Amino acid sequence: MADSKSIQGDSYKGWLYKWTNYIKGYQKRWFVLQNGLLSYYRNQAEMAHTCRGTINLANAFIHTEDSCSFVISNGGTQSFHLKASSEVERQRWVTALELAKARAISMMESDSEDDEPHTQPDKNEFQNTLRTLGSKLEDLNTCNDLIVKHGAALQKSLSELELLDNPGETAPRIKCVNERATLFRITSNAMINACADYLDLAQSQGRRWQRMLQHEHDQRLRLEEMVEQIAKQHSSLEKLARKSLAANVKLDINPKPGVPGSDSDDDDDFYDAVDEHAEEFQVALPHKKKPPGHRRVGSDISQVSIESLGATLGRQEAESSESESGKEEDEAKVISAARKTSANSVKNMRNNLSSQQLTPTLDRKMARKRRKTIPERPNYSINLWSIMKNCIGKDLSKIPMPVNFGEPLSMLQRLIEEMEYSECLDKAAQCDDPTEQLTHIAAFTVSAYAITTIRTGKPFNPLLGETYECDRMDDLGWRSLAEQVSHHPPIAAIHTEGKGWTMWQEFSMSSKFRGKYLQIIPLGTSHLAFTRSGNHYTWRKVTLTVHNIIVGRLWVDNHGEMDIVNHTNGDQCHLKYSQYSYFSRETPRKVTGVVTDKGGNAHWVLTGTWDEKIEGAKVLSTTTSSKGKPVFESGPAKTLWRRRKIPAGHERMYNFTPLAIELNEPEENVAPTDSRLRPDQRLMELGEWDEANKEKVRLEEKQRAARRRRESQVERSLAEGNAFVGYQPLWFQKIKEPTTGNLTHTYNGEYWPVKERQDWSRCPDLF
């Protein structure tokens, strides 16, 4: 069995076999070596919530037993008996452990040396330091005054010496000049010594205060990580306790006698046990009273044209608090049907799902060969605070960000990247039951957020008139066109054609940087229509928040509520994205939902996470609890969507997925306004960031000049009394959408015929 390992800076990760007990022997575990600590988990997925054990290497002993085995012990209280897959692998681990131990010991020694500077100084110490610095500064001022005085006297003596006519008076004058020069030299030396004393004192205190500040900063980061880890473990242990209690109460199963010397992390390792108890969870219900259109907690805006969306942003907070107060009555309990599942059947189900249903549906034999990698991200350092401190309170789209904080994709490409799991729509197109069709659409909407767990780079803001086409009919069965149709406010229009379905959306956003976090509220509506059934669906996206902008590791949370509405028959799917909290009992990144018909009857329940998978189960019956809340009994769940693995080395390629890697690949015969031809974006992808920043400034200035020309044309037309038509997009036209009654930019059907003729005469010079 091959070992999976990775080395990142001072960390080392990989699979090892750990001795558990005499019954189970060695069990495969995922080990992580970082910051002088060796931790292990059952698998890589557990790293997000449950650590099975940790040993500090600073006080540990490492010794080898044979060609593959080695032991780590901290003096008797804790020991890890480990085995590698080969002698070479064992030696790699031992070397990494010895280096980590040496670094941990040196870190402890440096901490002990700096204990005194790291102690919190009292008020008297600060006052004494300031008093000393003040006295040194007074000495400097005194020396300065003396230098000025003696320098003026010396200058006067020299002038008198030059004006003497009688040689007999020269000797006493020269003596006077020498005396004044001596006083000036003595005063200058005193000034130099006072400056040196002041500099030494200021530098020593400055270094001390800097160490204290860095120590407090490191302490804060460590405490934040510890609190987050404790909260995750607390939540995981509570869930295990509830499941174990429910199993014992319902099935009256007597616990098996313990085995002496068993490992604590394997106490709940029932891989071959039969799971016969029913699972219970909560799902969010559609709100009984809601305004027309789509309701979306945390990012809810009434369904009107995008130009008027900004005026309604002030109502979001009131609506959000309204929803929180009615949270209790907007949830229902789901009891899944009892099922018997063994370990082998679970593995078979997962293999079938991953190999059959979760891959694109078209044969890729005739598809063009596309690239699998891009140039690695260079390691440039930059002062984050010097840029961010001037951006607080500003709109994200108006902040002049350098490419160092971004990724070599435009926002148009990032929006089309949401088609990564288009097979969900292909499966939805084959459904005859509209409620089941809704489950696949819901899974597709959730899949668009999967990559945000590791993708925090800012894409390039598109220029007005910039386009992007993505024709994947040959392998994925769809083709998309995106265009930046407005600059203030920034609006992008996207149109996608698939096998039996068509999707279009108008995307804008409201974003504010608050210093500690960045909140992005998507605006606009997404439309999806199916050819065979004629069903027309709409939905709006939820809020995205980027945390730890200034200090700490960036992480993204998606939260809010989403309604997917079938305008043909009134069916809808209500999804709730739970907001992440350290101390919440809910699963991180949890998504729940229910599919109802026009009469409000539940047909399907959905549960999962937006970064891993979504499952759906058909509702078999509905009852009411003693508190008057609905209780759904569902059948066995099936996987609607599961996230695919990211390619190896993704962290060096901006954490791109395979589709993202292919999006910016150069392609012939595209429009001259296509994002692939944008020079600053291409230079960034090639790793030439300094040149990319220069090109970015040039393009932005060129866009401002074009906007000033348009404004002058408007003023001239108004002065002459002529009607002036503003900027018009090339491939989209603004019309009233018949289903929702909103003004929206809709594809005019001209791009692909123009591409066949290669007649790009109407395209402006953007780059």
Side-chain angles (χ1 to χ4, degrees):
M1 194 175 297
D3 283 355
S4 172
K5 60 181 181 299
S6 88
I7 305 175
Q8 300 176 349
D10 293 339
S11 66
Y12 196 85
K13 305 176 183 178
W15 292 103
L16 288 172
Y17 293 89
K18 179 181 179 296
W19 176 263
T20 57
N21 52 55
Y22 288 99
I23 302 298
K24 297 181 179 179
Y26 283 96
Q27 295 290 323
K28 192 175 183 182
R29 296 290 181 260
W30 178 256
F31 279 81
V32 177
L33 173 60
Q34 192 171 19
N35 298 328
L37 300 175
L38 180 65
S39 307
Y40 71 97
Y41 312 82
R42 281 214 191 94
N43 48 55
Q44 292 167 274
E46 275 196 348
M47 291 177 62
H49 54 81
T50 305
C51 177
R52 299 293 172 176
T54 301
I55 191 169
N56 191 340
L57 296 178
N59 303 316
F61 301 95
I62 306 170
H63 58 276
T64 58
E65 292 186 333
D66 53 34
S67 60
C68 295
S69 302
F70 58 100
V71 179
I72 305 173
S73 175
N74 61 358
T77 59
Q78 199 174 18
S79 297
F80 290 173
H81 294 262
L82 306 176
K83 181 184 291 186
S85 59
S86 64
E87 185 175 359
V88 175
E89 184 64 21
R90 186 216 63 179
Q91 190 57 42
R92 288 176 180 170
W93 271 102
V94 171
T95 303
L97 290 167
E98 292 289 356
L99 290 174
K101 178 180 178 180
R103 281 193 294 266
I105 294 174
S106 63
M107 190 180 300
M108 288 180 61
E109 292 175 351
S110 63
D111 287 344
S112 62
E113 291 174 0
D114 294 338
D115 275 345
E116 183 179 352
H118 287 165
T119 57
Q120 186 70 23
D122 56 14
K123 186 177 180 180
N124 293 331
E125 185 178 351
F126 277 121
Q127 290 177 348
N128 292 334
T129 302
L130 293 176
R131 193 179 300 113
T132 305
L133 288 172
S135 65
K136 295 291 184 183
L137 188 59
E138 290 178 2
D139 294 342
L140 289 175
N141 290 330
T142 303
C143 291
N144 180 63
D145 295 339
L146 291 173
I147 285 176
V148 172
K149 177 181 176 180
H150 293 309
L154 179 61
Q155 184 65 36
K156 181 180 178 181
S157 298
L158 290 173
S159 300
E160 292 175 352
L161 184 62
E162 291 177 355
L163 297 175
L164 283 179
D165 295 332
N166 187 0
E169 298 179 357
T170 304
R173 293 292 181 183
I174 291 176
K175 182 179 179 181
C176 181
V177 169
N178 289 333
E179 291 176 353
R180 295 186 184 279
T182 301
L183 290 174
F184 185 81
R185 185 174 63 254
I186 293 172
T187 308
S188 299
N189 290 333
M191 180 72 169
I192 293 173
N193 293 332
C195 288
D197 292 342
Y198 185 87
L199 180 62
D200 290 341
L201 181 61
Q203 285 181 341
S204 62
Q205 293 297 325
R207 286 192 295 268
R208 182 170 180 270
W209 289 339
Q210 188 175 6
R211 287 197 302 269
M212 288 167 51
L213 182 61
Q214 184 64 36
H215 177 72
E216 294 298 327
H217 172 71
D218 296 341
Q219 284 287 91
R220 176 185 173 184
L221 291 181
R222 282 195 289 267
L223 287 174
E224 286 182 352
E225 292 177 358
M226 289 172 59
V227 169
E228 183 177 4
Q229 187 70 16
I230 290 172
K232 289 178 180 178
Q233 293 184 9
H234 180 266
S235 177
S236 177
L237 289 173
E238 276 195 343
K239 290 175 186 174
L240 290 174
R242 286 197 298 269
K243 287 184 179 179
S244 177
L245 182 61
N248 290 334
V249 170
K250 294 183 180 180
L251 302 179
D252 194 21
I253 298 178
N254 294 322
K256 296 181 180 181
V259 179
S262 62
D263 200 351
S264 60
D265 75 301
D266 295 297
D267 287 345
D268 54 350
D269 235 351
F270 300 116
Y271 288 115
D272 294 327
V274 177
D275 180 15
E276 296 185 354
H277 66 277
E279 296 180 359
E280 296 183 2
F281 57 91
Q282 302 285 333
V283 294
L285 293 175
H287 298 277
K288 297 178 181 179
K289 296 180 180 180
K290 58 181 180 179
H294 293 271
R295 179 179 179 85
R296 186 177 48 183
V297 172
S299 57
D300 183 30
I301 300 160
S302 59
Q303 183 144 340
V304 289
S305 61
I306 282 186
E307 282 78 356
S308 61
L309 286 171
T312 63
L313 287 173
R315 299 198 298 268
Q316 294 174 34
E317 188 174 349
E319 290 177 354
S320 179
S321 60
E322 227 174 77
S323 170
E324 290 297 324
S325 63
K327 180 179 178 181
E328 291 298 326
E329 60 185 47
D330 290 336
E331 289 186 348
K333 180 187 290 187
V334 177
I335 302 177
S336 64
R339 54 184 177 179
K340 298 182 180 181
T341 307
S342 65
N344 292 331
S345 61
V346 169
K347 292 179 180 178
N348 293 334
M349 289 168 60
R350 289 178 178 173
N351 292 335
N352 292 335
L353 283 169
S354 59
S355 62
Q356 297 176 8
Q357 297 181 354
L358 302 179
T359 54
T361 56
L362 297 184
D363 188 2
R364 305 186 74 163
K365 292 182 179 179
M366 302 302 295
R368 56 169 285 191
K369 188 176 181 180
R370 302 182 184 272
R371 66 182 184 181
K372 302 299 181 185
T373 60
I374 60 173
E376 292 186 1
R377 177 191 180 106
N379 186 19
Y380 282 105
S381 61
I382 191 168
N383 189 345
L384 175 64
W385 175 244
S386 64
I387 296 173
M388 288 299 182
K389 66 182 181 181
N390 297 321
C391 303
I392 297 177
K394 295 182 180 179
D395 191 284
L396 178 65
S397 61
K398 298 179 182 178
I399 295 176
M401 284 285 189
V403 302
N404 307 55
F405 296 105
E407 59 183 20
L409 288 179
S410 75
M411 178 59 78
L412 301 179
Q413 293 167 313
R414 188 70 180 264
L415 290 171
I416 290 181
E417 191 183 349
E418 295 177 0
M419 304 304 300
E420 178 96 30
Y421 297 93
S422 60
E423 61 267 19
C424 294
L425 298 182
D426 295 334
K427 287 185 282 188
Q430 303 301 320
C431 292
D432 296 322
D433 181 3
T435 58
E436 184 181 2
Q437 190 175 67
L438 257 174
T439 63
H440 293 288
I441 299 171
F444 170 77
T445 62
V446 173
S447 70
Y449 301 102
I451 197 59
T452 57
T453 53
I454 55 176
R455 286 273 290 282
T456 55
K458 179 182 180 295
F460 281 76
N461 290 333
L463 305 174
L464 182 62
E466 184 176 336
T467 61
Y468 177 73
E469 67 156 85
C470 187
D471 190 350
R472 303 300 296 265
M473 279 293 186
D474 58 346
D475 54 353
L476 302 180
W478 53 267
R479 64 180 183 181
S480 288
L481 172 67
E483 180 181 3
Q484 188 75 2
V485 297
S486 173
H487 189 62
H488 289 294
I491 302 175
I494 303 97
H495 181 87
T496 307
E497 302 168 357
K499 296 294 185 180
W501 52 269
T502 304
M503 180 180 169
W504 66 98
Q505 64 172 312
E506 190 178 67
F507 178 83
S508 184
M509 65 181 183
S510 170
S511 57
K512 289 294 180 181
F513 175 56
R514 301 300 185 186
K516 192 174 182 180
Y517 65 90
L518 171 70
Q519 192 168 65
I520 299 174
I521 304 173
L523 312 178
T525 304
S526 299
H527 295 256
L528 176 64
F530 291 95
T531 306
R532 187 161 64 96
S533 63
N535 291 330
H536 186 156
Y537 300 89
T538 61
W539 66 89
R540 306 258 306 283
K541 298 176 179 178
V542 297
T543 300
L544 182 146
T545 303
V546 184
H547 296 270
N548 294 343
I549 295 293
I550 298 298
V551 179
R553 184 181 59 189
L554 288 177
W555 61 279
V556 174
D557 187 28
N558 299 285
H559 53 90
E561 298 187 15
M562 175 191 295
D563 287 326
I564 308 173
V565 181
N566 185 344
H567 293 272
T568 305
N569 61 8
D571 294 347
Q572 75 166 353
C573 175
H574 181 76
L575 294 176
K576 178 183 178 181
Y577 292 69
S578 299
Q579 189 167 7
Y580 179 76
S581 173
Y582 284 160
F583 301 102
S584 174
R585 296 184 177 182
E586 293 185 340
T587 304
R589 309 182 182 97
K590 181 180 179 181
V591 180
T592 59
V594 58
V595 177
T596 58
D597 57 23
K598 187 176 183 180
N601 302 312
H603 291 264
W604 290 80
V605 290
L606 307 175
T607 184
T609 58
W610 51 261
D611 67 325
E612 187 63 33
K613 66 175 181 177
I614 288 293
E615 294 181 339
K618 193 171 183 62
V619 176
L620 303 179
S621 64
T622 303
T623 57
T624 304
S625 67
S626 58
K627 296 182 180 180
K629 293 184 179 181
V631 178
F632 303 142
E633 182 180 354
S634 67
K638 67 175 182 178
T639 301
L640 301 171
W641 161 77
R642 185 187 297 274
R643 178 181 175 182
R644 288 190 281 268
K645 291 184 178 180
I646 308 297
H650 61 88
E651 65 281 352
R652 299 189 299 272
M653 296 185 292
Y654 308 90
N655 292 311
F656 279 1
T657 63
L659 178 61
I661 290 174
E662 299 166 357
L663 287 178
N664 203 44
E665 184 176 6
E667 191 170 326
E668 297 179 354
N669 301 324
V670 297
T673 55
D674 196 274
S675 299
R676 298 179 183 88
L677 305 178
R678 184 166 171 165
D680 53 349
Q681 185 173 308
R682 182 62 61 188
L683 287 169
M684 182 189 179
E685 182 182 283
L686 297 176
E688 301 175 12
W689 284 12
D690 293 336
E691 292 76 8
N693 280 317
K694 295 177 183 177
E695 276 296 309
K696 187 172 183 291
V697 172
R698 182 186 69 82
L699 291 177
E700 290 173 350
E701 186 55 41
K702 185 176 182 180
Q703 181 174 234
R704 295 188 191 100
R707 186 179 72 250
R708 288 193 292 267
R709 286 195 298 270
R710 287 193 299 271
E711 291 173 352
S712 62
Q713 291 176 1
V714 172
E715 294 176 357
R716 188 165 54 251
S717 299
L718 292 176
E720 296 173 355
N722 300 327
F724 180 80
V725 179
Y727 176 81
Q728 297 295 321
L730 294 180
W731 316 112
F732 290 82
Q733 56 185 349
K734 196 170 186 179
I735 62 174
K736 186 175 182 179
E737 210 284 319
T739 304
T740 60
N742 296 329
L743 288 174
T744 184
H745 287 87
T746 307
Y747 176 54
N748 60 17
E750 298 180 7
Y751 180 85
W752 301 109
V754 167
K755 182 184 178 181
E756 290 181 3
R757 300 193 304 269
Q758 284 297 297
D759 179 16
W760 304 115
S761 57
R762 69 177 76 179
C763 295
D765 177 20
L766 293 183
F767 310 134

